Short mmCIF file of all heavy atoms in Angstrom, two decimals:
data_model
loop_
_atom_site.label_atom_id
_atom_site.label_comp_id
_atom_site.label_asym_id
_atom_site.label_seq_id
_atom_site.Cartn_x
_atom_site.Cartn_y
_atom_site.Cartn_z
N VAL A 669 126.06 -214.80 144.80
CA VAL A 669 126.22 -213.40 144.38
C VAL A 669 126.02 -213.29 142.87
O VAL A 669 125.32 -212.39 142.39
CB VAL A 669 127.59 -212.86 144.82
CG1 VAL A 669 127.88 -211.52 144.17
CG2 VAL A 669 127.65 -212.74 146.33
N ASN A 670 126.62 -214.20 142.12
CA ASN A 670 126.47 -214.16 140.66
C ASN A 670 125.01 -214.41 140.24
O ASN A 670 124.53 -213.79 139.28
CB ASN A 670 127.39 -215.18 139.99
CG ASN A 670 128.81 -214.70 139.94
OD1 ASN A 670 129.06 -213.51 139.80
ND2 ASN A 670 129.74 -215.61 140.05
N LEU A 671 124.31 -215.30 140.94
CA LEU A 671 122.91 -215.56 140.63
C LEU A 671 122.05 -214.32 140.89
O LEU A 671 121.20 -213.97 140.08
CB LEU A 671 122.39 -216.74 141.45
CG LEU A 671 120.92 -217.07 141.26
CD1 LEU A 671 120.67 -217.61 139.87
CD2 LEU A 671 120.46 -218.06 142.31
N VAL A 672 122.30 -213.65 142.01
CA VAL A 672 121.53 -212.44 142.33
C VAL A 672 121.76 -211.37 141.27
O VAL A 672 120.82 -210.71 140.81
CB VAL A 672 121.89 -211.93 143.74
CG1 VAL A 672 121.34 -210.53 143.99
CG2 VAL A 672 121.38 -212.90 144.80
N VAL A 673 123.02 -211.21 140.85
CA VAL A 673 123.32 -210.22 139.81
C VAL A 673 122.63 -210.59 138.51
O VAL A 673 122.02 -209.74 137.84
CB VAL A 673 124.85 -210.10 139.60
CG1 VAL A 673 125.17 -209.33 138.34
CG2 VAL A 673 125.49 -209.44 140.80
N ASP A 674 122.67 -211.87 138.14
CA ASP A 674 122.03 -212.31 136.90
C ASP A 674 120.51 -212.16 136.95
O ASP A 674 119.88 -211.91 135.93
CB ASP A 674 122.38 -213.76 136.60
CG ASP A 674 123.81 -213.92 136.10
OD1 ASP A 674 124.41 -212.90 135.70
OD2 ASP A 674 124.31 -215.06 136.12
N LEU A 675 119.91 -212.30 138.12
CA LEU A 675 118.46 -212.12 138.24
C LEU A 675 118.07 -210.64 138.27
O LEU A 675 116.95 -210.29 137.88
CB LEU A 675 117.94 -212.84 139.48
CG LEU A 675 117.98 -214.37 139.43
CD1 LEU A 675 117.53 -214.95 140.75
CD2 LEU A 675 117.14 -214.89 138.29
N LEU A 676 118.97 -209.79 138.74
CA LEU A 676 118.67 -208.35 138.77
C LEU A 676 118.87 -207.67 137.42
O LEU A 676 118.24 -206.65 137.15
CB LEU A 676 119.54 -207.66 139.82
CG LEU A 676 119.18 -207.90 141.28
CD1 LEU A 676 120.18 -207.21 142.19
CD2 LEU A 676 117.77 -207.42 141.57
N LEU A 677 119.73 -208.23 136.58
CA LEU A 677 120.01 -207.59 135.29
C LEU A 677 118.76 -207.40 134.42
O LEU A 677 118.59 -206.33 133.85
CB LEU A 677 121.07 -208.37 134.54
CG LEU A 677 122.51 -208.04 134.94
CD1 LEU A 677 123.49 -208.94 134.20
CD2 LEU A 677 122.83 -206.60 134.68
N PRO A 678 117.87 -208.38 134.28
CA PRO A 678 116.66 -208.13 133.47
C PRO A 678 115.74 -207.06 134.07
O PRO A 678 115.00 -206.41 133.34
CB PRO A 678 115.95 -209.48 133.43
CG PRO A 678 116.99 -210.47 133.74
CD PRO A 678 117.96 -209.79 134.65
N LEU A 679 115.78 -206.88 135.38
CA LEU A 679 114.96 -205.83 135.99
C LEU A 679 115.53 -204.45 135.69
O LEU A 679 114.78 -203.49 135.54
CB LEU A 679 114.89 -206.04 137.50
CG LEU A 679 114.23 -207.33 137.97
CD1 LEU A 679 114.33 -207.45 139.48
CD2 LEU A 679 112.78 -207.39 137.53
N VAL A 680 116.84 -204.37 135.59
CA VAL A 680 117.51 -203.09 135.33
C VAL A 680 117.49 -202.76 133.84
O VAL A 680 117.23 -201.63 133.46
CB VAL A 680 118.96 -203.14 135.86
CG1 VAL A 680 119.74 -201.93 135.43
CG2 VAL A 680 118.95 -203.27 137.36
N ASP A 681 117.77 -203.74 133.01
CA ASP A 681 117.87 -203.52 131.56
C ASP A 681 116.79 -204.34 130.86
O ASP A 681 116.89 -205.56 130.79
CB ASP A 681 119.26 -203.94 131.08
CG ASP A 681 119.54 -203.48 129.67
OD1 ASP A 681 118.64 -202.92 129.02
OD2 ASP A 681 120.68 -203.67 129.21
N PRO A 682 115.76 -203.71 130.33
CA PRO A 682 114.66 -204.45 129.71
C PRO A 682 115.05 -205.17 128.42
O PRO A 682 114.31 -206.02 127.94
CB PRO A 682 113.60 -203.38 129.44
CG PRO A 682 114.33 -202.09 129.47
CD PRO A 682 115.52 -202.28 130.34
N ARG A 683 116.22 -204.86 127.86
CA ARG A 683 116.67 -205.56 126.64
C ARG A 683 117.07 -207.00 126.94
O ARG A 683 117.12 -207.83 126.05
CB ARG A 683 117.83 -204.82 126.01
CG ARG A 683 117.47 -203.42 125.53
CD ARG A 683 118.67 -202.69 125.06
NE ARG A 683 119.55 -202.44 126.22
CZ ARG A 683 120.70 -201.82 126.16
NH1 ARG A 683 121.16 -201.39 125.01
NH2 ARG A 683 121.42 -201.60 127.23
N ILE A 684 117.37 -207.30 128.21
CA ILE A 684 117.76 -208.65 128.62
C ILE A 684 116.52 -209.38 129.07
O ILE A 684 115.74 -208.91 129.86
CB ILE A 684 118.78 -208.59 129.76
CG1 ILE A 684 120.01 -207.83 129.32
CG2 ILE A 684 119.16 -209.98 130.23
CD1 ILE A 684 121.00 -207.56 130.45
#
Side-chain angles (χ1 to χ4, degrees):
V669 169
N670 283 327
L671 177 68
V672 168
V673 168
D674 286 344
L675 291 176
L676 287 177
L677 277 176
L679 298 175
V680 171
D681 192 355
R683 297 174 293 180
I684 300 172

